[in-house]
């Protein structure tokens, strides 16, 4: 009923920038939080940043000042602008959204398929 489709990502040199986007589609009644997580090889999936429906943002400490999360509620889309990238930012980045659909109006977490971000030194 709900799909999250990510775009962006790729290979960049250290110090460079990348932009990710993730659009939610389906029979959507409403979306609460949207955000980005990342998972490096052999590590757990960890929060990068979240943004509430009202625009309140939250970031992991090691990306503060380098990463900006934003969303367009009219387009059901969340964005992640990453600057001053470091090799340790290399991971698969997953978007997520807390979405309610018209069939039952219950909020559930949905995930994108993941997009690779690789930062070379």
């Amino acid at each position: 009923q709900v799909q999250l489709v990510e775009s962006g990502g790729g290979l960049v040199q250290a110090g460079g920038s990348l932009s990710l986007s993730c659009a939610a589609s389906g029979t959507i009644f409403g979306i609460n939080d949207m955000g980005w997580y990342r998972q490096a090889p052999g590590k757990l999936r960890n929060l990068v940043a979240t943004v509430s429906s009202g625009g309140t943002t939250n970031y992991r400490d090691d990306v503060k000042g380098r990463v900006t999360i934003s969303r367009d509620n009219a387009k059901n889309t969340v964005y992640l602008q990453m600057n001053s990238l470091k090799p340790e930012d290399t991971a698969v980045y997953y978007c997520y959204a807390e979405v309610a659909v018209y069939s039952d109006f219950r909020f559930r977490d949905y995930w994108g398929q993941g997009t690779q971000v690789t930062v070379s030194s």
Side-chain angles (χ1 to χ4, degrees), residues 87-116:
E88 51 264 43
D89 294 318
T90 295
V92 177
Y93 283 68
Y94 297 90
C95 75
Y96 107 101
E98 189 181 11
V99 182
V101 296
Y102 278 104
S103 61
D104 63 8
F105 304 102
R106 290 179 58 188
F107 284 93
R108 297 179 177 85
D109 289 345
Y110 292 88
W111 293 88
Q113 77 282 4
T115 185
Q116 178 70 47

Side-chain angles (χ1 to χ4, degrees), residues 19-93:
S19 180
L20 307 180
S21 64
C22 173
S25 63
T27 55
I28 297 172
F29 168 73
I31 303 178
N32 283 341
D33 288 356
M34 303 184 81
W36 294 89
Y37 282 67
R38 69 187 184 189
Q39 187 168 18
K43 296 189 176 181
L44 297 175
R45 188 176 299 186
N46 291 313
L47 170 74
V48 178
T50 61
V51 56
S52 71
S53 58
T56 300
T57 58
N58 178 51
Y59 298 92
R60 60 180 292 129
D61 286 344
D62 59 358
V63 304
K64 287 179 180 178
R66 301 189 295 119
V67 167
T68 302
I69 189 169
S70 61
R71 64 190 281 175
D72 185 332
N73 290 332
K75 296 181 179 179
N76 292 333
T77 299
V78 62
Y79 306 94
L80 191 71
Q81 176 65 42
M82 300 184 290
N83 301 319
S84 303
L85 283 163
K86 304 175 181 180
E88 51 264 43
D89 294 318
T90 295
V92 177
Y93 283 68

